[in-house]
Amino acid sequence: MTLWIAIILAVSVGGWLIRYLSDNHGWSGTDPLEREAPGGGPLPHRGAPEYWAGLGEIRTLEDAGRVLRELSGQEPKPYASIEFGRSRNEACLSVMTASAAARSWVYGLQECLGPGLVAYAGAESSLGRSSVWHREVVVGPGRDQFAIVEHAGTDACNYGMAMEDILAKLKSFDERYGIRIREASWDSVGFDLVRRPDDIPAFCAELYEFCPDVVDQGVDSMEALEELVREDGYIVL
């Protein structure tokens, strides 16, 4: 009798956990990249360049939801997660995908979104599977790319900085070099540099002064940061 009670409890807890992950993180127990398209059959494009080329302008959040559904095979969640799902931004729509795919989807979405909409890679989670990381791909309203930081609730309270400080620095970078914000969460923001700084060591020193984690918890040395800026131009603070 005790064994049967234990089995029943285990099944009940397992079912609750799956429902919780589905409701809070958009997870159904399978990798989103392995799912079928709505109505059956394999997802045909995975956000390939030819898909974006034929898509046209995405003008409304409803249209964006249809695209997210096509890309992921999921019904978009009516929110974006903030701080590991402790809170939600219900102005946005989101789906989960493997982290490796998230940024490429964001690049495609950003090229196709009409005025008044923004897209970004948001909260990341292993969903209990340490070898497979997944990330939200989010679309929401916004006059410009800086709305992404507001949607994600990004701050740096561990360094005594609020969201306004982060926005001021990002806008300064944008004025000097041009940036394209691609990802944001409650404790990080990632962007492409449109133009490389003339003085890369000075720029990297500015990055490190503003966010020491870019080296200390990132690339490990100023030399590596300079090479990253020079060769790749993608920065995560």
Side-chain angles (χ1 to χ4, degrees), residues 35-84:
R35 297 177 186 164
E36 293 184 341
L43 293 168
H45 41 68
R46 311 289 193 213
E50 56 269 22
Y51 171 73
W52 299 112
L55 189 61
E57 186 176 69
I58 302 171
R59 298 182 178 181
T60 67
L61 197 57
E62 182 180 2
D63 290 340
R66 285 195 290 269
V67 173
L68 291 175
R69 191 178 299 111
E70 288 178 0
L71 284 169
S72 67
Q74 308 162 45
E75 187 63 30
K77 295 291 184 180
Y79 59 83
S81 300
I82 298 176
E83 197 175 356
F84 304 113

mmCIF file of all heavy atoms in Angstrom, residues 35-84:
data_model
loop_
_atom_site.group_PDB
_atom_site.id
_atom_site.type_symbol
_atom_site.label_atom_id
_atom_site.label_comp_id
_atom_site.label_asym_id
_atom_site.label_seq_id
_atom_site.Cartn_x
_atom_site.Cartn_y
_atom_site.Cartn_z
ATOM 1 N N ARG A 35 9.402 19.911 -32.736
ATOM 2 C CA ARG A 35 7.957 19.837 -32.823
ATOM 3 C C ARG A 35 7.481 19.935 -34.262
ATOM 4 O O ARG A 35 8.196 20.370 -35.151
ATOM 5 C CB ARG A 35 7.324 20.968 -32.006
ATOM 6 C CG ARG A 35 7.633 20.853 -30.524
ATOM 7 C CD ARG A 35 7.042 22.021 -29.783
ATOM 8 N NE ARG A 35 7.467 21.966 -28.388
ATOM 9 C CZ ARG A 35 7.376 22.979 -27.554
ATOM 10 N NH1 ARG A 35 6.896 24.125 -27.963
ATOM 11 N NH2 ARG A 35 7.778 22.856 -26.307
ATOM 12 N N GLU A 36 6.221 19.572 -34.447
ATOM 13 C CA GLU A 36 5.603 19.711 -35.756
ATOM 14 C C GLU A 36 4.918 21.060 -35.865
ATOM 15 O O GLU A 36 4.591 21.704 -34.871
ATOM 16 C CB GLU A 36 4.580 18.594 -35.968
ATOM 17 C CG GLU A 36 5.203 17.209 -36.064
ATOM 18 C CD GLU A 36 4.168 16.156 -36.380
ATOM 19 O OE1 GLU A 36 2.975 16.440 -36.167
ATOM 20 O OE2 GLU A 36 4.546 15.067 -36.831
ATOM 21 N N ALA A 37 4.696 21.471 -37.095
ATOM 22 C CA ALA A 37 3.955 22.698 -37.340
ATOM 23 C C ALA A 37 2.498 22.498 -36.940
ATOM 24 O O ALA A 37 2.006 21.373 -36.896
ATOM 25 C CB ALA A 37 4.047 23.072 -38.813
ATOM 26 N N PRO A 38 1.769 23.592 -36.628
ATOM 27 C CA PRO A 38 0.347 23.458 -36.337
ATOM 28 C C PRO A 38 -0.362 22.745 -37.482
ATOM 29 O O PRO A 38 -0.164 23.069 -38.646
ATOM 30 C CB PRO A 38 -0.115 24.914 -36.209
ATOM 31 C CG PRO A 38 1.114 25.666 -35.824
ATOM 32 C CD PRO A 38 2.241 24.965 -36.528
ATOM 33 N N GLY A 39 -1.165 21.733 -37.140
ATOM 34 C CA GLY A 39 -1.854 20.968 -38.165
ATOM 35 C C GLY A 39 -1.076 19.756 -38.630
ATOM 36 O O GLY A 39 -1.550 18.981 -39.451
ATOM 37 N N GLY A 40 0.149 19.559 -38.103
ATOM 38 C CA GLY A 40 0.933 18.381 -38.453
ATOM 39 C C GLY A 40 1.976 18.664 -39.506
ATOM 40 O O GLY A 40 1.929 19.658 -40.225
ATOM 41 N N GLY A 41 2.953 17.787 -39.585
ATOM 42 C CA GLY A 41 4.030 17.943 -40.555
ATOM 43 C C GLY A 41 5.191 18.707 -39.962
ATOM 44 O O GLY A 41 5.038 19.435 -38.982
ATOM 45 N N PRO A 42 6.376 18.556 -40.527
ATOM 46 C CA PRO A 42 7.555 19.227 -39.970
ATOM 47 C C PRO A 42 7.509 20.723 -40.199
ATOM 48 O O PRO A 42 6.910 21.208 -41.159
ATOM 49 C CB PRO A 42 8.712 18.588 -40.746
ATOM 50 C CG PRO A 42 8.094 18.194 -42.055
ATOM 51 C CD PRO A 42 6.684 17.772 -41.718
ATOM 52 N N LEU A 43 8.136 21.470 -39.301
ATOM 53 C CA LEU A 43 8.297 22.898 -39.533
ATOM 54 C C LEU A 43 9.193 23.075 -40.756
ATOM 55 O O LEU A 43 10.292 22.535 -40.812
ATOM 56 C CB LEU A 43 8.930 23.561 -38.309
ATOM 57 C CG LEU A 43 8.044 23.579 -37.061
ATOM 58 C CD1 LEU A 43 8.864 23.980 -35.848
ATOM 59 C CD2 LEU A 43 6.884 24.528 -37.242
ATOM 60 N N PRO A 44 8.771 23.837 -41.763
ATOM 61 C CA PRO A 44 9.439 23.786 -43.057
ATOM 62 C C PRO A 44 10.673 24.657 -43.200
ATOM 63 O O PRO A 44 11.416 24.490 -44.142
ATOM 64 C CB PRO A 44 8.343 24.276 -44.010
ATOM 65 C CG PRO A 44 7.525 25.204 -43.173
ATOM 66 C CD PRO A 44 7.534 24.599 -41.783
ATOM 67 N N HIS A 45 10.908 25.595 -42.294
ATOM 68 C CA HIS A 45 11.929 26.590 -42.611
ATOM 69 C C HIS A 45 12.868 26.918 -41.467
ATOM 70 O O HIS A 45 13.998 27.276 -41.689
ATOM 71 C CB HIS A 45 11.256 27.882 -43.070
ATOM 72 C CG HIS A 45 10.049 28.222 -42.260
ATOM 73 N ND1 HIS A 45 10.114 28.594 -40.947
ATOM 74 C CD2 HIS A 45 8.739 28.203 -42.582
ATOM 75 C CE1 HIS A 45 8.886 28.812 -40.497
ATOM 76 N NE2 HIS A 45 8.033 28.579 -41.452
ATOM 77 N N ARG A 46 12.398 26.815 -40.220
ATOM 78 C CA ARG A 46 13.213 27.165 -39.055
ATOM 79 C C ARG A 46 13.773 28.580 -39.145
ATOM 80 O O ARG A 46 14.855 28.862 -38.655
ATOM 81 C CB ARG A 46 14.390 26.193 -38.891
ATOM 82 C CG ARG A 46 14.028 24.732 -38.957
ATOM 83 C CD ARG A 46 13.272 24.303 -37.731
ATOM 84 N NE ARG A 46 13.190 22.854 -37.667
ATOM 85 C CZ ARG A 46 12.173 22.195 -37.164
ATOM 86 N NH1 ARG A 46 11.150 22.857 -36.687
ATOM 87 N NH2 ARG A 46 12.167 20.892 -37.124
ATOM 88 N N GLY A 47 13.068 29.470 -39.821
ATOM 89 C CA GLY A 47 13.565 30.835 -39.929
ATOM 90 C C GLY A 47 14.675 30.990 -40.941
ATOM 91 O O GLY A 47 15.532 31.859 -40.803
ATOM 92 N N ALA A 48 14.700 30.161 -41.973
ATOM 93 C CA ALA A 48 15.729 30.255 -43.008
ATOM 94 C C ALA A 48 15.605 31.583 -43.749
ATOM 95 O O ALA A 48 14.539 32.195 -43.782
ATOM 96 C CB ALA A 48 15.585 29.090 -43.985
ATOM 97 N N PRO A 49 16.699 32.063 -44.370
ATOM 98 C CA PRO A 49 16.660 33.366 -45.056
ATOM 99 C C PRO A 49 15.531 33.492 -46.067
ATOM 100 O O PRO A 49 14.917 34.557 -46.185
ATOM 101 C CB PRO A 49 18.035 33.434 -45.731
ATOM 102 C CG PRO A 49 18.920 32.602 -44.864
ATOM 103 C CD PRO A 49 18.049 31.475 -44.372
ATOM 104 N N GLU A 50 15.247 32.415 -46.808
ATOM 105 C CA GLU A 50 14.183 32.512 -47.808
ATOM 106 C C GLU A 50 12.810 32.709 -47.164
ATOM 107 O O GLU A 50 11.908 33.290 -47.768
ATOM 108 C CB GLU A 50 14.175 31.273 -48.706
ATOM 109 C CG GLU A 50 14.037 29.949 -47.986
ATOM 110 C CD GLU A 50 15.378 29.335 -47.615
ATOM 111 O OE1 GLU A 50 16.376 30.086 -47.527
ATOM 112 O OE2 GLU A 50 15.416 28.108 -47.418
ATOM 113 N N TYR A 51 12.653 32.223 -45.933
ATOM 114 C CA TYR A 51 11.390 32.445 -45.224
ATOM 115 C C TYR A 51 11.203 33.930 -44.946
ATOM 116 O O TYR A 51 10.158 34.508 -45.238
ATOM 117 C CB TYR A 51 11.377 31.649 -43.925
ATOM 118 C CG TYR A 51 10.207 31.994 -43.028
ATOM 119 C CD1 TYR A 51 8.921 31.575 -43.343
ATOM 120 C CD2 TYR A 51 10.391 32.751 -41.876
ATOM 121 C CE1 TYR A 51 7.843 31.896 -42.531
ATOM 122 C CE2 TYR A 51 9.325 33.070 -41.055
ATOM 123 C CZ TYR A 51 8.053 32.641 -41.385
ATOM 124 O OH TYR A 51 6.992 32.970 -40.578
ATOM 125 N N TRP A 52 12.229 34.562 -44.396
ATOM 126 C CA TRP A 52 12.113 35.984 -44.065
ATOM 127 C C TRP A 52 11.961 36.825 -45.325
ATOM 128 O O TRP A 52 11.211 37.806 -45.339
ATOM 129 C CB TRP A 52 13.343 36.437 -43.276
ATOM 130 C CG TRP A 52 13.519 35.700 -41.982
ATOM 131 C CD1 TRP A 52 14.505 34.816 -41.673
ATOM 132 C CD2 TRP A 52 12.668 35.766 -40.836
ATOM 133 N NE1 TRP A 52 14.325 34.327 -40.402
ATOM 134 C CE2 TRP A 52 13.214 34.892 -39.867
ATOM 135 C CE3 TRP A 52 11.504 36.470 -40.529
ATOM 136 C CZ2 TRP A 52 12.628 34.713 -38.615
ATOM 137 C CZ3 TRP A 52 10.921 36.291 -39.280
ATOM 138 C CH2 TRP A 52 11.479 35.426 -38.340
ATOM 139 N N ALA A 53 12.659 36.439 -46.392
ATOM 140 C CA ALA A 53 12.594 37.209 -47.630
ATOM 141 C C ALA A 53 11.180 37.250 -48.199
ATOM 142 O O ALA A 53 10.775 38.239 -48.818
ATOM 143 C CB ALA A 53 13.559 36.626 -48.661
ATOM 144 N N GLY A 54 10.416 36.191 -47.987
ATOM 145 C CA GLY A 54 9.067 36.146 -48.532
ATOM 146 C C GLY A 54 7.981 36.537 -47.562
ATOM 147 O O GLY A 54 6.792 36.451 -47.888
ATOM 148 N N LEU A 55 8.367 36.988 -46.377
ATOM 149 C CA LEU A 55 7.370 37.216 -45.332
ATOM 150 C C LEU A 55 6.636 38.540 -45.468
ATOM 151 O O LEU A 55 5.440 38.634 -45.234
ATOM 152 C CB LEU A 55 8.048 37.139 -43.957
ATOM 153 C CG LEU A 55 7.120 37.134 -42.745
ATOM 154 C CD1 LEU A 55 6.189 35.934 -42.786
ATOM 155 C CD2 LEU A 55 7.935 37.121 -41.455
ATOM 156 N N GLY A 56 7.336 39.595 -45.835
ATOM 157 C CA GLY A 56 6.716 40.910 -45.871
ATOM 158 C C GLY A 56 6.716 41.562 -44.500
ATOM 159 O O GLY A 56 7.213 41.002 -43.518
ATOM 160 N N GLU A 57 6.141 42.747 -44.419
ATOM 161 C CA GLU A 57 6.161 43.510 -43.176
ATOM 162 C C GLU A 57 5.168 42.951 -42.160
ATOM 163 O O GLU A 57 4.027 42.638 -42.496
ATOM 164 C CB GLU A 57 5.838 44.977 -43.455
ATOM 165 C CG GLU A 57 5.980 45.874 -42.233
ATOM 166 C CD GLU A 57 5.744 47.336 -42.560
ATOM 167 O OE1 GLU A 57 4.581 47.691 -42.857
ATOM 168 O OE2 GLU A 57 6.714 48.112 -42.531
ATOM 169 N N ILE A 58 5.627 42.834 -40.923
ATOM 170 C CA ILE A 58 4.771 42.426 -39.804
ATOM 171 C C ILE A 58 4.264 43.708 -39.150
ATOM 172 O O ILE A 58 5.034 44.444 -38.529
ATOM 173 C CB ILE A 58 5.554 41.575 -38.794
ATOM 174 C CG1 ILE A 58 6.130 40.327 -39.476
ATOM 175 C CG2 ILE A 58 4.669 41.179 -37.618
ATOM 176 C CD1 ILE A 58 7.105 39.548 -38.607
ATOM 177 N N ARG A 59 2.981 43.974 -39.273
ATOM 178 C CA ARG A 59 2.462 45.284 -38.885
ATOM 179 C C ARG A 59 1.790 45.320 -37.524
ATOM 180 O O ARG A 59 1.651 46.394 -36.939
ATOM 181 C CB ARG A 59 1.477 45.769 -39.950
ATOM 182 C CG ARG A 59 2.116 45.947 -41.320
ATOM 183 C CD ARG A 59 1.124 46.469 -42.337
ATOM 184 N NE ARG A 59 1.750 46.673 -43.639
ATOM 185 C CZ ARG A 59 1.122 47.130 -44.708
ATOM 186 N NH1 ARG A 59 -0.166 47.439 -44.632
ATOM 187 N NH2 ARG A 59 1.772 47.271 -45.848
ATOM 188 N N THR A 60 1.330 44.178 -37.027
ATOM 189 C CA THR A 60 0.602 44.158 -35.761
ATOM 190 C C THR A 60 1.139 43.050 -34.866
ATOM 191 O O THR A 60 1.797 42.110 -35.329
ATOM 192 C CB THR A 60 -0.904 43.920 -35.978
ATOM 193 O OG1 THR A 60 -1.096 42.577 -36.476
ATOM 194 C CG2 THR A 60 -1.473 44.924 -36.979
ATOM 195 N N LEU A 61 0.825 43.149 -33.581
ATOM 196 C CA LEU A 61 1.228 42.110 -32.642
ATOM 197 C C LEU A 61 0.535 40.792 -32.980
ATOM 198 O O LEU A 61 1.119 39.712 -32.815
ATOM 199 C CB LEU A 61 0.893 42.549 -31.213
ATOM 200 C CG LEU A 61 1.589 41.790 -30.073
ATOM 201 C CD1 LEU A 61 3.101 41.863 -30.203
ATOM 202 C CD2 LEU A 61 1.145 42.345 -28.716
ATOM 203 N N GLU A 62 -0.672 40.872 -33.487
ATOM 204 C CA GLU A 62 -1.380 39.664 -33.910
ATOM 205 C C GLU A 62 -0.644 38.981 -35.063
ATOM 206 O O GLU A 62 -0.484 37.753 -35.077
ATOM 207 C CB GLU A 62 -2.807 40.008 -34.332
ATOM 208 C CG GLU A 62 -3.634 38.793 -34.739
ATOM 209 C CD GLU A 62 -5.049 39.174 -35.148
ATOM 210 O OE1 GLU A 62 -5.370 40.382 -35.148
ATOM 211 O OE2 GLU A 62 -5.827 38.259 -35.476
ATOM 212 N N ASP A 63 -0.183 39.772 -36.029
ATOM 213 C CA ASP A 63 0.607 39.208 -37.128
ATOM 214 C C ASP A 63 1.891 38.574 -36.599
ATOM 215 O O ASP A 63 2.309 37.505 -37.060
ATOM 216 C CB ASP A 63 0.964 40.297 -38.140
ATOM 217 C CG ASP A 63 -0.240 40.786 -38.926
ATOM 218 O OD1 ASP A 63 -1.255 40.055 -38.973
ATOM 219 O OD2 ASP A 63 -0.167 41.899 -39.484
ATOM 220 N N ALA A 64 2.527 39.243 -35.642
ATOM 221 C CA ALA A 64 3.751 38.699 -35.051
ATOM 222 C C ALA A 64 3.478 37.368 -34.369
ATOM 223 O O ALA A 64 4.295 36.444 -34.431
ATOM 224 C CB ALA A 64 4.339 39.698 -34.055
ATOM 225 N N GLY A 65 2.320 37.263 -33.717
ATOM 226 C CA GLY A 65 1.953 36.008 -33.080
ATOM 227 C C GLY A 65 1.841 34.870 -34.076
ATOM 228 O O GLY A 65 2.255 33.737 -33.795
ATOM 229 N N ARG A 66 1.301 35.160 -35.253
ATOM 230 C CA ARG A 66 1.197 34.125 -36.288
ATOM 231 C C ARG A 66 2.579 33.668 -36.746
ATOM 232 O O ARG A 66 2.814 32.475 -36.969
ATOM 233 C CB ARG A 66 0.384 34.646 -37.474
ATOM 234 C CG ARG A 66 -1.118 34.698 -37.207
ATOM 235 C CD ARG A 66 -1.894 34.854 -38.492
ATOM 236 N NE ARG A 66 -1.716 36.177 -39.076
ATOM 237 C CZ ARG A 66 -2.501 37.213 -38.823
ATOM 238 N NH1 ARG A 66 -3.510 37.086 -37.977
ATOM 239 N NH2 ARG A 66 -2.287 38.380 -39.406
ATOM 240 N N VAL A 67 3.502 34.616 -36.875
ATOM 241 C CA VAL A 67 4.863 34.260 -37.283
ATOM 242 C C VAL A 67 5.546 33.425 -36.197
ATOM 243 O O VAL A 67 6.198 32.419 -36.492
ATOM 244 C CB VAL A 67 5.679 35.527 -37.598
ATOM 245 C CG1 VAL A 67 7.140 35.174 -37.867
ATOM 246 C CG2 VAL A 67 5.088 36.259 -38.798
ATOM 247 N N LEU A 68 5.404 33.827 -34.943
ATOM 248 C CA LEU A 68 5.986 33.049 -33.849
ATOM 249 C C LEU A 68 5.421 31.632 -33.829
ATOM 250 O O LEU A 68 6.145 30.664 -33.560
ATOM 251 C CB LEU A 68 5.714 33.742 -32.512
ATOM 252 C CG LEU A 68 6.441 35.062 -32.259
ATOM 253 C CD1 LEU A 68 5.963 35.688 -30.950
ATOM 254 C CD2 LEU A 68 7.953 34.865 -32.234
ATOM 255 N N ARG A 69 4.138 31.507 -34.120
ATOM 256 C CA ARG A 69 3.501 30.189 -34.155
ATOM 257 C C ARG A 69 4.089 29.337 -35.289
ATOM 258 O O ARG A 69 4.369 28.153 -35.111
ATOM 259 C CB ARG A 69 1.993 30.358 -34.327
ATOM 260 C CG ARG A 69 1.175 29.082 -34.116
ATOM 261 C CD ARG A 69 -0.313 29.362 -34.258
ATOM 262 N NE ARG A 69 -0.778 30.324 -33.267
ATOM 263 C CZ ARG A 69 -1.182 31.570 -33.549
ATOM 264 N NH1 ARG A 69 -1.164 32.011 -34.806
ATOM 265 N NH2 ARG A 69 -1.596 32.380 -32.603
ATOM 266 N N GLU A 70 4.287 29.948 -36.451
ATOM 267 C CA GLU A 70 4.865 29.222 -37.582
ATOM 268 C C GLU A 70 6.301 28.786 -37.287
ATOM 269 O O GLU A 70 6.710 27.673 -37.623
ATOM 270 C CB GLU A 70 4.858 30.105 -38.832
ATOM 271 C CG GLU A 70 3.480 30.331 -39.432
ATOM 272 C CD GLU A 70 3.538 31.251 -40.642
ATOM 273 O OE1 GLU A 70 4.657 31.693 -40.994
ATOM 274 O OE2 GLU A 70 2.486 31.530 -41.230
ATOM 275 N N LEU A 71 7.070 29.674 -36.678
ATOM 276 C CA LEU A 71 8.469 29.370 -36.399
ATOM 277 C C LEU A 71 8.626 28.238 -35.398
ATOM 278 O O LEU A 71 9.488 27.371 -35.547
ATOM 279 C CB LEU A 71 9.173 30.614 -35.855
ATOM 280 C CG LEU A 71 9.533 31.716 -36.845
ATOM 281 C CD1 LEU A 71 9.964 32.963 -36.092
ATOM 282 C CD2 LEU A 71 10.636 31.257 -37.785
ATOM 283 N N SER A 72 7.804 28.260 -34.361
ATOM 284 C CA SER A 72 8.039 27.391 -33.207
ATOM 285 C C SER A 72 7.133 26.181 -33.126
ATOM 286 O O SER A 72 7.458 25.207 -32.437
ATOM 287 C CB SER A 72 7.869 28.206 -31.920
ATOM 288 O OG SER A 72 6.512 28.613 -31.763
ATOM 289 N N GLY A 73 5.968 26.243 -33.779
ATOM 290 C CA GLY A 73 4.987 25.192 -33.586
ATOM 291 C C GLY A 73 4.269 25.289 -32.257
ATOM 292 O O GLY A 73 3.551 24.371 -31.865
ATOM 293 N N GLN A 74 4.440 26.407 -31.553
ATOM 294 C CA GLN A 74 3.805 26.628 -30.254
ATOM 295 C C GLN A 74 2.740 27.711 -30.368
ATOM 296 O O GLN A 74 2.827 28.583 -31.230
ATOM 297 C CB GLN A 74 4.830 27.102 -29.219
ATOM 298 C CG GLN A 74 6.068 26.260 -29.069
ATOM 299 C CD GLN A 74 7.160 27.042 -28.374
ATOM 300 O OE1 GLN A 74 6.930 27.724 -27.376
ATOM 301 N NE2 GLN A 74 8.372 26.968 -28.902
ATOM 302 N N GLU A 75 1.793 27.668 -29.449
ATOM 303 C CA GLU A 75 0.893 28.797 -29.285
ATOM 304 C C GLU A 75 1.634 29.845 -28.461
ATOM 305 O O GLU A 75 2.086 29.560 -27.350
ATOM 306 C CB GLU A 75 -0.384 28.375 -28.562
ATOM 307 C CG GLU A 75 -1.447 29.458 -28.497
ATOM 308 C CD GLU A 75 -1.943 29.876 -29.872
ATOM 309 O OE1 GLU A 75 -1.949 29.032 -30.796
ATOM 310 O OE2 GLU A 75 -2.313 31.059 -30.017
ATOM 311 N N PRO A 76 1.823 31.061 -28.984
ATOM 312 C CA PRO A 76 2.589 32.063 -28.231
ATOM 313 C C PRO A 76 1.975 32.344 -26.864
ATOM 314 O O PRO A 76 0.753 32.415 -26.717
ATOM 315 C CB PRO A 76 2.523 33.303 -29.136
ATOM 316 C CG PRO A 76 2.311 32.753 -30.504
ATOM 317 C CD PRO A 76 1.435 31.550 -30.322
ATOM 318 N N LYS A 77 2.842 32.492 -25.884
ATOM 319 C CA LYS A 77 2.403 32.888 -24.555
ATOM 320 C C LYS A 77 2.087 34.385 -24.551
ATOM 321 O O LYS A 77 2.807 35.169 -25.174
ATOM 322 C CB LYS A 77 3.494 32.600 -23.523
ATOM 323 C CG LYS A 77 3.792 31.121 -23.338
ATOM 324 C CD LYS A 77 2.641 30.410 -22.663
ATOM 325 C CE LYS A 77 2.978 28.956 -22.401
ATOM 326 N NZ LYS A 77 1.857 28.245 -21.748
ATOM 327 N N PRO A 78 1.050 34.800 -23.843
ATOM 328 C CA PRO A 78 0.668 36.220 -23.853
ATOM 329 C C PRO A 78 1.470 37.051 -22.853
ATOM 330 O O PRO A 78 0.929 37.921 -22.175
ATOM 331 C CB PRO A 78 -0.817 36.165 -23.470
ATOM 332 C CG PRO A 78 -0.915 34.975 -22.571
ATOM 333 C CD PRO A 78 0.063 33.962 -23.132
ATOM 334 N N TYR A 79 2.763 36.789 -22.777
ATOM 335 C CA TYR A 79 3.627 37.531 -21.860
ATOM 336 C C TYR A 79 5.085 37.207 -22.176
ATOM 337 O O TYR A 79 5.392 36.240 -22.882
ATOM 338 C CB TYR A 79 3.338 37.163 -20.397
ATOM 339 C CG TYR A 79 3.514 35.695 -20.081
ATOM 340 C CD1 TYR A 79 4.766 35.153 -19.803
ATOM 341 C CD2 TYR A 79 2.419 34.833 -20.080
ATOM 342 C CE1 TYR A 79 4.927 33.806 -19.528
ATOM 343 C CE2 TYR A 79 2.574 33.482 -19.810
ATOM 344 C CZ TYR A 79 3.829 32.977 -19.531
ATOM 345 O OH TYR A 79 3.984 31.639 -19.271
ATOM 346 N N ALA A 80 5.978 38.021 -21.632
ATOM 347 C CA ALA A 80 7.410 37.721 -21.595
ATOM 348 C C ALA A 80 7.802 37.542 -20.137
ATOM 349 O O ALA A 80 7.327 38.270 -19.262
ATOM 350 C CB ALA A 80 8.217 38.860 -22.217
ATOM 351 N N SER A 81 8.668 36.579 -19.872
ATOM 352 C CA SER A 81 9.091 36.307 -18.498
ATOM 353 C C SER A 81 10.139 37.318 -18.052
ATOM 354 O O SER A 81 10.983 37.754 -18.836
ATOM 355 C CB SER A 81 9.680 34.899 -18.389
ATOM 356 O OG SER A 81 8.728 33.927 -18.757
ATOM 357 N N ILE A 82 10.088 37.666 -16.777
ATOM 358 C CA ILE A 82 11.059 38.576 -16.172
ATOM 359 C C ILE A 82 11.618 37.913 -14.922
ATOM 360 O O ILE A 82 10.866 37.329 -14.133
ATOM 361 C CB ILE A 82 10.417 39.932 -15.817
ATOM 362 C CG1 ILE A 82 9.895 40.619 -17.086
ATOM 363 C CG2 ILE A 82 11.410 40.840 -15.097
ATOM 364 C CD1 ILE A 82 9.155 41.910 -16.819
ATOM 365 N N GLU A 83 12.930 37.984 -14.766
ATOM 366 C CA GLU A 83 13.627 37.467 -13.585
ATOM 367 C C GLU A 83 13.231 36.019 -13.290
ATOM 368 O O GLU A 83 12.615 35.707 -12.279
ATOM 369 C CB GLU A 83 13.365 38.355 -12.364
ATOM 370 C CG GLU A 83 14.358 38.135 -11.250
ATOM 371 C CD GLU A 83 14.175 39.102 -10.089
ATOM 372 O OE1 GLU A 83 13.324 39.998 -10.177
ATOM 373 O OE2 GLU A 83 14.896 38.935 -9.100
ATOM 374 N N PHE A 84 13.607 35.134 -14.226
ATOM 375 C CA PHE A 84 13.375 33.697 -14.084
ATOM 376 C C PHE A 84 11.896 33.354 -13.909
ATOM 377 O O PHE A 84 11.542 32.393 -13.238
ATOM 378 C CB PHE A 84 14.183 33.130 -12.913
ATOM 379 C CG PHE A 84 15.653 33.385 -13.007
ATOM 380 C CD1 PHE A 84 16.286 34.232 -12.109
ATOM 381 C CD2 PHE A 84 16.410 32.797 -14.006
ATOM 382 C CE1 PHE A 84 17.645 34.474 -12.196
ATOM 383 C CE2 PHE A 84 17.776 33.035 -14.097
ATOM 384 C CZ PHE A 84 18.390 33.873 -13.194
#
